[in-house]
Amino acid sequence: MNDFAASITFDQLGSDPYPIFARLRREAPVVLLPKLDLWMVTRWDDVRQVLSAYESYTSAFPSLATQIFGERSVLKVEGDAHADLRAAVDTRFAHERIERATTLTREAARPYAGELSSRDELMSSYFEPAASTALARFIGLPDVDTDALMRWARHLSAGMSNFIADPAVHEQAMAAATEIRQTIEPSARQAADRPDGSVLSQLLHSGCPPDTVRSAVNIMPTFIEILSAFLEPAAGAGLTLLALLQHPTQMQAIRDDPRLSRKAVHETLRWLSPNGALSRRATKDVLLAGQIIPAGATVMAVIASAGRDESIFTDPDTFDINRDPFPNLGLGYSRHACLAAPVVGAIIAALLDVLLEQHPRLSLDPGRPHDLHGWKFRVLTNLHVRIGDPARDW
């Protein structure tokens, strides 16, 4: 037993996990954390192994996600069931949809950017409502209230990382899932009768024999799972802007050449990924990096740590948008990667582009520091900025 690993708590990880991840990579890259009752895997190669060796590590096991979403969502099943659900919606998030995602995001973002004041908090005033509005239009829910979409996503995400079993957090997540079902079921019945090409319609119809559809009950866990991720592009955009504002030379490079925003997004998903870890369950006793992980153990593949693996990345703790292109795991890996991975980067970049087009002279507000916490999900709760001349006497 590694003494350092034995001492790690959820609170320590939530404050700043990166020094902990670095020490684990050096001393115990595959290790049991007894206070958390899980195995943590922190090196690049080992993380990829956990996420791709389906015969040894499965996502199909009872978890906080299955309690909240329901059984058999696309990311919590394996084999043919997973392939069937994934195929139903992959075309809605394919590379060919990047242009539409970009256009919808720019259209949704412009009014929110135009309403910002000289000193503002960007997560709640811009990134979250703009991203949620764009995604609602993109997947075919233009009439659902944006505030409800944000509230649902916030409560569902909190519920999925409720490791301390706070009953109030769990109750809010379950209530959000119930409200989604009640709100979406009428649209599901309509889409079952009249296919319209939306994500909901695709889930109901795609791949089914003629004159048959999947039931709303069967597709609802996957649809709730999709809605739970509605704030992830906003998180990625906020973290990218934070990183740029903390690195003024690179911020200026983006102002000079907005095309570099995609490189900044890619680097942020490596350096400060909103998604910190993905959970699996060992299906049998597994040997990994010299350690035996017993059958039935919960295994956390820490993609946030893999993104700073010294054996893969040069100077990994440095944010550098000019880093040589290299894949990162910020949106998952292999067949359980993020459903919307092809379009997420474009949505994040569009949010940043619109903001900087309208407000090129953003700066961090030194009087109101940002709040960043969490490890399975790295959450930027607020991002206070000054809009205008940074030399102005505020």
Side-chain angles (χ1 to χ4, degrees):
M1 173 66 67
N2 180 280
D3 290 341
F4 174 65
S7 71
I8 295 172
T9 66
F10 284 123
D11 285 344
Q12 292 168 345
L13 284 168
S15 176
D16 182 4
Y18 286 98
I20 295 173
F21 295 158
R23 185 167 173 183
L24 289 177
R25 287 194 303 272
R26 292 193 305 269
E27 298 180 7
V30 175
V31 68
L32 173 65
L33 305 187
K35 291 185 177 181
L36 281 61
D37 191 27
L38 57 82
W39 285 75
M40 188 165 278
V41 179
T42 51
R43 286 183 183 168
W44 174 272
D45 288 338
D46 299 328
V47 166
R48 284 168 41 114
Q49 176 71 8
V50 170
L51 296 179
S52 60
Y54 310 113
E55 73 285 354
S56 300
Y57 309 95
T58 182
S59 65
F61 63 94
S63 65
L64 291 170
T66 58
Q67 290 177 37
I68 296 165
F69 303 150
E71 300 290 337
R72 304 186 67 76
S73 69
V74 65
L75 296 182
K76 300 301 290 184
V77 293
E78 301 283 7
D80 292 343
H82 172 264
D84 179 56
L85 284 169
R86 182 110 198 182
V89 293
D90 264 352
T91 57
R92 298 294 89 191
F93 298 107
H95 283 88
E96 292 79 9
R97 304 275 290 173
I98 287 176
E99 183 176 353
R100 176 162 175 75
T102 299
T103 299
L104 288 175
T105 303
R106 291 182 66 87
E107 290 174 353
R110 289 189 187 106
Y112 290 106
E115 294 171 1
L116 294 173
S117 62
S118 60
R119 300 178 78 168
D120 221 319
E121 195 289 296
L122 290 183
M123 297 309 296
S124 61
S125 296
Y126 176 69
F127 286 126
E128 291 179 354
S132 297
T133 300
L135 283 167
R137 295 172 184 174
F138 184 75
I139 72 169
L141 293 177
D143 298 326
V144 177
D145 180 66
T146 298
D147 287 339
L149 290 167
M150 292 190 295
R151 174 170 50 79
W152 292 342
R154 195 171 290 115
H155 290 168
L156 292 170
S157 295
M160 286 188 291
S161 56
N162 184 26
F163 298 113
I164 61 173
D166 184 328
V169 172
H170 185 72
E171 183 177 334
Q172 283 185 327
M174 296 297 289
T178 298
E179 188 178 347
I180 290 170
R181 291 187 185 93
Q182 294 169 345
T183 303
I184 300 302
E185 280 175 359
S187 298
R189 288 194 294 270
Q190 180 175 320
D193 293 334
R194 296 188 295 277
D196 58 15
S198 67
V199 169
L200 183 61
S201 179
Q202 288 290 107
L203 279 170
L204 289 163
H205 292 276
S206 181
C208 293
D211 300 322
T212 63
V213 296
R214 297 179 182 87
S215 72
V217 171
N218 286 341
I219 64 96
M220 199 56 68
T222 293
F223 201 75
I224 295 172
E225 193 166 63
I226 291 171
L227 295 184
S228 77
F230 254 44
L231 295 183
E232 290 184 14
L239 290 169
T240 302
L241 181 63
L242 174 63
L244 289 169
L245 292 175
Q246 291 174 329
H247 298 81
T249 301
Q250 297 182 67
M251 180 77 256
Q252 188 58 49
I254 298 289
R255 293 189 182 104
D256 294 341
D257 184 359
R259 294 173 299 179
L260 294 175
S261 62
R262 290 299 298 269
K263 295 183 70 173
V265 171
H266 186 79
E267 173 67 351
T268 300
L269 291 177
R270 177 201 70 83
W271 186 69
L272 198 60
S273 173
N275 291 306
L278 299 171
S279 60
R280 298 290 186 266
R281 177 159 292 179
T283 61
K284 57 187 176 183
D285 290 355
V286 184
L287 177 64
L288 183 65
Q291 299 295 315
I292 299 291
I293 301 176
T298 298
V299 182
M300 282 290 177
V302 187
I303 55 180
S305 175
R308 298 200 187 190
D309 189 331
E310 298 82 356
S311 70
I312 302 296
F313 301 98
T314 301
D315 198 11
D317 290 329
T318 297
F319 177 79
D320 180 8
I321 65 173
N322 295 310
R323 188 180 296 277
D324 290 339
F326 193 85
N328 67 51
L329 307 178
L331 296 173
Y333 177 69
S334 195
R335 69 184 184 193
H336 279 294
C338 171
L339 285 171
V343 300
V344 166
I347 293 171
I348 295 173
L351 291 168
L352 292 167
D353 290 345
V354 169
L355 180 66
L356 294 176
E357 286 166 8
Q358 295 197 29
H359 306 290
R361 305 190 74 177
L362 287 172
S363 60
L364 291 173
D365 189 336
R368 294 185 287 181
H370 63 272
D371 178 29
L372 182 61
H373 62 273
W375 65 279
K376 192 175 191 293
F377 300 105
R378 195 74 175 145
V379 180
L380 182 61
T381 305
N382 57 61
L383 181 59
H384 293 281
V385 298
R386 303 184 303 189
I387 297 175
D389 186 352
R392 176 179 170 185
D393 183 5
W394 294 89

